[in-house]
Amino acid sequence: DVKVTQSSRYLVKRTGEKVFLECVQDMDHENMFWYRQDPGLGLRLIYFSYDVKMKEKGDIPEGYSVSREKKERFSLILESASTNQTSMYLCASSPSSGEDTGELFFGEGSRLTVL
Amino acid sequence: GEDVEQSLFLSVREGDSSVINCTYTDSSSTYLYWYKQEPGAGLQLLTYIFSNMDMKQDQRLTVLLNKKDKHLSLRIADTQTGDSAIYFCAAEGWTGANNLFFGTGTRLTVIP
């Protein structure tokens, strides 16, 4: 089974702190994604990566950056956390387009609270 | 980006059928998906349908696709309390499988 592991299930940070959210997948997938989930808004794509050191902005990249130094690991960085970044963050991975149905495999989520 | 819309809430009695509806805007979406999110968990793929099909059945689940109206539905027969979850409709974006556009999610509550 594909496993996508997010390092922290729950985090509480203060405004202005730097926050790292880590995600690791064990299925050698090329694509990795970071979404945030908010009630009534569904999932919104922050950034995705289709290869090591490659990244693409999603729909809401402002206030976030990402890092993909190794194929299995995709990190989401909040340089200076703000209260409006309080949310559930979901990491996902998938094989390359054309290899499969495009199914995304999700981690369990990291709930971030910024005070 | 593509707009994917769903109603936010649905309540049904145990044993009844549930129907969750979704509309999308990009007629070029090749695959359309239903994901399920149980409390405290990430999303898991429930089922999907290829755009050249109009129906797909998998045990208690039936997916109907009306391409002309860009309407997707998920029917759960004999709904059980374990089906209580948030159900997300998702459509493939123009970049293909690299990007899915998700609806807001429908919270299904099954009343015993």
Side-chain angles (χ1 to χ4, degrees):
Chain A
D1 280 353
V2 175
K3 194 159 176 64
V4 179
T5 304
Q6 294 183 231
S7 56
S8 305
R9 291 296 305 273
Y10 301 95
L11 300 98
V12 179
K13 298 291 182 181
R14 293 204 176 276
T15 300
E17 280 191 88
K18 191 168 185 174
V19 182
F20 291 89
L21 299 179
E22 303 281 339
C23 175
V24 177
Q25 50 96 3
D26 65 0
M27 280 301 289
D28 202 36
H29 285 167
E30 283 73 22
N31 302 322
M32 295 189 75
F33 307 81
W34 277 106
Y35 289 88
R36 64 177 280 176
Q37 180 183 4
D38 299 288
L41 296 177
L43 273 69
R44 293 178 291 167
L45 182 65
I46 305 171
Y47 268 97
F48 68 97
S49 167
Y50 51 88
D51 202 351
V52 175
K53 296 193 187 296
M54 306 303 287
K55 61 185 179 184
E56 293 285 342
K57 292 181 180 178
D59 299 318
I60 52 163
E62 296 79 19
Y64 303 95
S65 61
V66 290
S67 171
R68 186 133 181 237
E69 296 296 317
K70 293 185 178 181
K71 190 175 186 180
E72 68 271 18
R73 188 179 296 269
F74 192 35
S75 302
L76 180 69
I77 303 150
L78 288 67
E79 293 287 343
S80 177
S82 62
T83 54
N84 63 11
Q85 292 177 309
T86 291
S87 187
M88 170 71 88
Y89 290 89
L90 292 169
C91 175
S93 72
S94 72
S96 288
S97 178
E99 288 184 18
D100 210 317
T101 60
E103 176 184 357
L104 297 185
F105 296 85
F106 283 85
E108 292 189 321
S110 298
R111 185 169 291 284
L112 171 66
T113 301
V114 183
L115 303 175
Chain B
E2 176 162 20
D3 286 331
V4 180
E5 296 193 354
Q6 309 175 231
S7 54
L8 290 178
F9 302 100
L10 177 66
S11 291
V12 299
R13 294 211 172 270
E14 190 174 17
D16 288 350
S17 292
S18 309
V19 180
I20 303 172
N21 294 300
C22 169
T23 58
Y24 60 98
T25 55
D26 186 354
S27 57
S28 67
S29 294
T30 306
Y31 286 98
L32 296 134
Y33 307 83
W34 285 104
Y35 281 81
K36 179 182 181 182
Q37 184 182 36
E38 295 185 352
L43 280 69
Q44 281 194 304
L45 182 68
L46 198 58
T47 187
Y48 67 92
I49 189 165
F50 190 55
S51 59
N52 69 354
M53 300 167 66
D54 51 21
M55 187 181 93
K56 181 179 180 182
Q57 189 148 2
D58 182 4
Q59 299 182 333
R60 292 190 298 122
L61 305 178
T62 303
V63 179
L64 296 177
L65 174 61
N66 181 329
K67 278 200 75 176
K68 176 173 164 291
D69 294 338
K70 301 193 199 67
H71 183 269
L72 184 72
S73 68
L74 174 69
R75 178 177 181 270
I76 306 173
D78 186 26
T79 312
Q80 303 297 306
T81 54
D83 295 324
S84 292
I86 302 175
Y87 291 82
F88 290 92
C89 170
E92 198 177 41
W94 67 273
T95 54
N98 284 343
N99 192 9
L100 296 186
F101 291 93
F102 285 85
T104 54
T106 299
R107 183 180 292 276
L108 173 65
T109 301
V110 182
I111 304 161

